[in-house]
Amino acid sequence: DSLPAFFFGLHGGLAADRWSRKRLMISADAARAVILIPVGVAGLTGTLPIWGLVAAAFLLEAANSYFIPAYGATVPAVVEKQNSQAAMALLSSTTQALSIGGWALAAGLLTFMPVSVFFGVNAATFALSGLILLRLREPKRAPLEDGSVHVREGISALMPRRALFTAVVVFAVAMTITTGSWIAGIPTISRDSLHEGASGFSLLMIGF
């Protein structure tokens, strides 16, 4: 789940600067929808191995590595500079509200619906996202000729700022440890301590 960000995250940012962000986002949505369909089918038929989930997680995060930079750069360009802060605040609050509502809905549905159904639902949401993005009017911009130059400039600017560089490294290590503990620990608590299974996990995520 974490390796794709390491392998593709930097290139995803360069791609968002050099290529059509609209096409990147639609392609990423299409890829994520296609990846999730066989996962859902395999889960419903009882033939989903753990390596299949690992492979799907890797591919999904690889697609995210291209979607997220393109999305983040598109919003300010669409709403213009003077409105970008308000737009990002609205998107952030909407995302948090939908996340809480989504986990609450999942907690209810998981009481009578197999977990594998959610893979199919998720695939449908990515397909819907891609269809909505087809209507997006992408602002015109001059493509970068050599993205590697900008990457070197960014690294060169960060290195002399030791406090900031150290903070980035420490944050990366802390997130690695915390994320690993969270991914393994919270489902275990839900299963062994609360005896609630996937529905209990959803309730914990609402609290988070």
Side-chain angles (χ1 to χ4, degrees):
D1 188 60
S2 301
L3 286 175
F6 179 79
F7 287 115
F8 305 112
L10 185 60
H11 187 258
L14 293 176
D17 280 335
R18 299 172 110 184
W19 303 333
S20 167
R21 294 165 184 167
K22 176 180 176 179
R23 291 180 182 178
L24 275 175
M25 290 188 289
I26 293 174
S27 298
D29 276 338
R32 291 183 288 189
V34 170
I35 293 165
L36 284 167
I37 292 173
V39 175
V41 172
L44 289 172
T45 57
T47 57
L48 179 60
I50 188 65
W51 67 261
L53 280 174
V54 173
F58 184 92
L59 294 173
L60 287 170
E61 286 303 315
N64 285 344
S65 296
Y66 290 91
F67 182 93
I68 293 174
Y71 177 76
T74 296
V75 174
V78 169
V79 300
E80 298 181 350
K81 186 176 181 180
Q82 64 270 24
N83 300 319
S84 60
Q85 187 174 1
M88 294 305 292
L90 176 61
L91 285 172
S92 178
S93 59
T94 303
T95 299
Q96 293 298 326
L98 288 173
S99 178
I100 294 172
W103 283 112
L105 179 62
L109 293 176
L110 280 168
T111 58
F112 62 88
M113 186 180 292
V115 176
S116 297
V117 172
F118 285 79
F119 290 115
V121 174
N122 206 7
T125 62
F126 284 127
L128 179 60
S129 172
L131 291 174
I132 293 173
L133 286 170
L134 287 173
R135 298 176 56 84
L136 177 68
R137 292 184 179 180
E138 189 172 24
K140 293 182 179 181
R141 57 192 173 86
L144 294 178
E145 295 181 359
D146 185 7
S148 61
V149 175
H150 297 270
V151 173
R152 288 196 297 268
E153 289 177 352
I155 294 174
S156 299
L158 180 62
M159 291 297 288
R161 294 167 170 81
R162 294 185 178 181
L164 183 58
F165 178 79
T166 303
V168 170
V169 173
V170 171
F171 181 76
V173 174
M175 283 300 298
T176 301
I177 297 172
T178 304
T179 303
S181 303
W182 176 269
I183 291 173
I186 297 303
T188 303
I189 290 174
S190 175
R191 181 191 63 194
D192 298 341
S193 299
L194 303 179
H195 308 291
E196 292 292 341
S199 182
F201 175 71
S202 295
L203 293 174
L204 288 172
M205 289 303 295
I206 293 173
F208 173 73

